[in-house]
């Protein structure tokens, strides 16, 4: 992941300017992992069909055997229907906790293949936590308002 924003710049920015500066590189980084053939292969070997089942069940499996509406409510970046379909598609493959562990294995494998050994991941994690802590989680509901949604609140499918 390449980001041309220096840490000293981040310390002088307002939080929304900071988020705007790092959002695209962080998004692209995650997208590279999720669209990588090796990631998909781990899901396929585990028994997940092509699609969002491995992603949804693995990423949100830390919630346990939650209803799809709960999974929809905790994520704010994909359409609620995509999440519900993926969550339900992955359910017969393996329990949520096992899927989360499998997904974590895929993350570790991808990281080892794509990060040099000397990358200071803990420093990145600290900066990311700083952004997360500074963000207003209540605004996530506002960010979710869009086409097919009535505004702040849970996605329409969860109502």
């Amino acid at each position: 992941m390449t980001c041309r924003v220096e840490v000293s710049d981040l310390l002088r920015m307002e939080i929304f300017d900071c988020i705007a500066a790092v959002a695209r590189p962080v998004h692209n980084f995650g997208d590279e992992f999720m669209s990588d053939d090796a990631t998909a292969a781990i899901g396929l070997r585990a028994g997940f069909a092509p699609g969002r089942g491995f992603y949804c069940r693995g990423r949100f499996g830390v919630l346990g055997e939650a209803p799809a509406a709960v999974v929809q409510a905790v994520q704010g970046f994909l359409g609620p229907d995509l999440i519900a379909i993926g969550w339900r598609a992955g359910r017969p493959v393996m329990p949520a906790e096992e899927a989360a562990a499998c997904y974590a294995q895929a993350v570790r494998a991808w990281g080892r293949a794509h990060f040099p050994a000397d990358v200071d991941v803990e420093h990145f994690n600290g900066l990311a936590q700083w952004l997360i802590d500074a963000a207003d989680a209540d605004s996530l509901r506002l960010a979710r308002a869009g086409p097919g949604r009535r505004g702040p609140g849970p996605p329409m499918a969860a109502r």
Side-chain angles (χ1 to χ4, degrees), residues 6-56:
E6 298 293 325
V7 174
S8 60
D9 294 332
L10 296 179
L11 296 175
R12 290 190 299 266
M13 292 179 172
E14 292 293 324
I15 188 63
F16 289 113
D17 295 331
C18 183
I19 290 169
V22 300
R24 180 55 50 194
V26 170
H27 171 272
N28 291 348
F29 167 72
D31 210 33
E32 288 175 23
F33 158 72
M34 290 183 286
S35 62
D36 191 273
D37 289 342
T39 301
I42 291 171
L44 292 171
R45 281 193 305 274
F48 290 93
R52 296 252 181 228
F54 180 51
Y55 169 78
C56 292

Side-chain angles (χ1 to χ4, degrees), residues 24-150:
R24 180 55 50 194
V26 170
H27 171 272
N28 291 348
F29 167 72
D31 210 33
E32 288 175 23
F33 158 72
M34 290 183 286
S35 62
D36 191 273
D37 289 342
T39 301
I42 291 171
L44 292 171
R45 281 193 305 274
F48 290 93
R52 296 252 181 228
F54 180 51
Y55 169 78
C56 292
R57 197 75 172 149
R59 174 116 186 224
F60 303 110
V62 296
L63 298 171
E65 296 300 337
V70 170
V71 179
Q72 290 171 315
V74 300
Q75 68 81 39
F77 39 89
L78 290 176
D81 292 336
L82 286 175
I83 293 299
I85 291 166
W87 182 249
R88 290 182 186 118
R91 184 170 276 147
V93 177
M94 66 179 61
E97 292 83 3
E98 189 178 331
C102 185
Y103 194 75
Q105 174 192 353
V107 171
R108 283 189 298 276
W110 191 88
R112 286 185 188 109
H114 291 86
F115 285 120
D118 63 347
V119 167
D120 189 350
V121 175
E122 291 306 316
H123 180 69
F124 172 82
N125 289 344
L127 292 173
Q129 190 63 55
W130 177 73
L131 284 173
I132 292 165
D133 291 344
D136 180 2
D138 291 338
S139 65
L140 181 59
R141 290 181 173 215
L142 292 174
R144 293 177 55 136
R149 300 183 189 142
R150 292 187 291 187

